[in-house]
Amino acid sequence: MGSQWGADKYYRRSKGEGYRSRAAYKLEEIQRKFGLIRGDDNVVDLGAAPGSWLQFVKGITGGVIIGIDLNPIVPVEGTHTVKGDFTKKEIQDKVISLTGENNVGIVLCDAAPQFAGNKSYDQARAIGLNEGALHFACRILKPGGNLIIKSFQGEMFQELLNEIRQNFYAVKVYRTKASRRGSTEVYIIARNFNGKINAETD
């Protein structure tokens, strides 16, 4: 069981600072350590609801900021929100219409599937979601762009890392302090997209 104190600490802080969820502090920590989001980047956030990452990002970049989720996102001033499945070509085309072709500096993905309680099944669904985010990034990132994906260590995780390393020059696995204690949650930090792959979509 995770640390209740830790959960309360970040929950209380998010409410006090106006963020929609404690997840904002995970991205804040990653940005402080790695500096992946640049001041002129166009940014796409996959699985963006409820919008705390959009809130954080708009304080960093003057570029176009887009959040995509299957669920509606309450609008965040200065950002675009899209309701739909990011693996679908029509959603990706909408992103391109807002940013231009291969003109996104970073893709963020804090999405996770609804877990059913079956470890192997849940892990397979999580990795499948990660692969969808990777393929999305390979279609819309500009050369040299960056990617942050939330994942879970377990079966198929190493295979996912290997696939990401084929597309980015530097890849690291990082665990944030705001992640719940005992969770297998990690973030894959992928820098400098090599621009070699244009992923196929439905």
Side-chain angles (χ1 to χ4, degrees), residues 52-65:
S52 63
W53 278 27
L54 296 175
Q55 291 177 294
F56 178 76
V57 168
K58 76 170 190 172
I60 298 174
T61 179
V64 177
I65 303 169

Side-chain angles (χ1 to χ4, degrees), residues 12-200:
R12 288 197 304 268
R13 185 178 167 195
S14 68
K15 293 302 179 186
E17 296 182 359
Y19 284 119
R20 296 179 182 179
S21 81
R22 69 200 299 280
Y25 302 110
K26 300 176 185 180
L27 184 58
E28 178 188 56
E29 181 181 339
I30 291 168
Q31 175 65 10
R32 187 169 62 246
K33 184 171 181 64
F34 297 101
L36 270 65
I37 305 168
R38 295 159 290 207
D40 60 349
D41 274 343
N42 295 329
V43 180
V44 181
D45 181 9
L46 307 178
S52 63
W53 278 27
L54 296 175
Q55 291 177 294
F56 178 76
V57 168
K58 76 170 190 172
I60 298 174
T61 179
V64 177
I65 303 169
I66 304 169
I68 304 172
D69 203 288
L70 291 171
N71 299 306
I73 305 168
V74 176
V76 176
E77 185 179 357
T79 73
H80 303 268
T81 56
V82 178
K83 184 177 183 293
D85 181 346
F86 65 75
T87 67
K88 301 301 182 183
K89 184 177 184 298
E90 59 266 25
I91 298 298
Q92 297 173 15
D93 288 345
K94 189 165 186 176
V95 170
I96 291 170
S97 74
L98 290 168
T99 63
E101 189 81 29
N102 299 117
N103 197 31
V104 171
I106 184 165
V107 171
L108 312 173
C109 182
D110 196 41
Q114 290 290 327
F115 291 127
N118 180 304
K119 186 175 180 180
S120 294
Y121 174 72
D122 289 342
Q123 179 70 7
R125 291 182 67 220
I127 295 297
L129 186 62
N130 294 160
E131 290 177 337
L134 172 62
H135 295 162
F136 176 97
C138 287
R139 183 169 185 226
I140 61 99
L141 275 179
K142 65 183 181 182
N146 300 317
L147 172 66
I148 300 171
I149 295 181
K150 177 167 72 179
S151 190
F152 298 87
Q153 291 180 314
E155 298 174 22
M156 299 177 286
F157 180 75
Q158 189 59 50
E159 288 87 347
L160 172 68
L161 274 183
N162 292 342
E163 187 176 359
I164 293 174
R165 286 178 174 135
Q166 292 173 13
N167 296 282
F168 292 82
Y169 287 108
V171 178
K172 290 187 177 181
V173 177
Y174 183 73
R175 179 175 172 81
T176 68
K177 294 176 181 176
S179 295
R180 298 183 189 277
R181 191 173 300 170
S183 170
T184 60
E185 174 187 282
V186 293
Y187 286 88
I188 300 172
I189 312 298
R191 290 180 285 192
N192 200 358
F193 175 53
N194 62 31
K196 292 179 181 176
I197 293 187
N198 185 16
E200 295 183 1

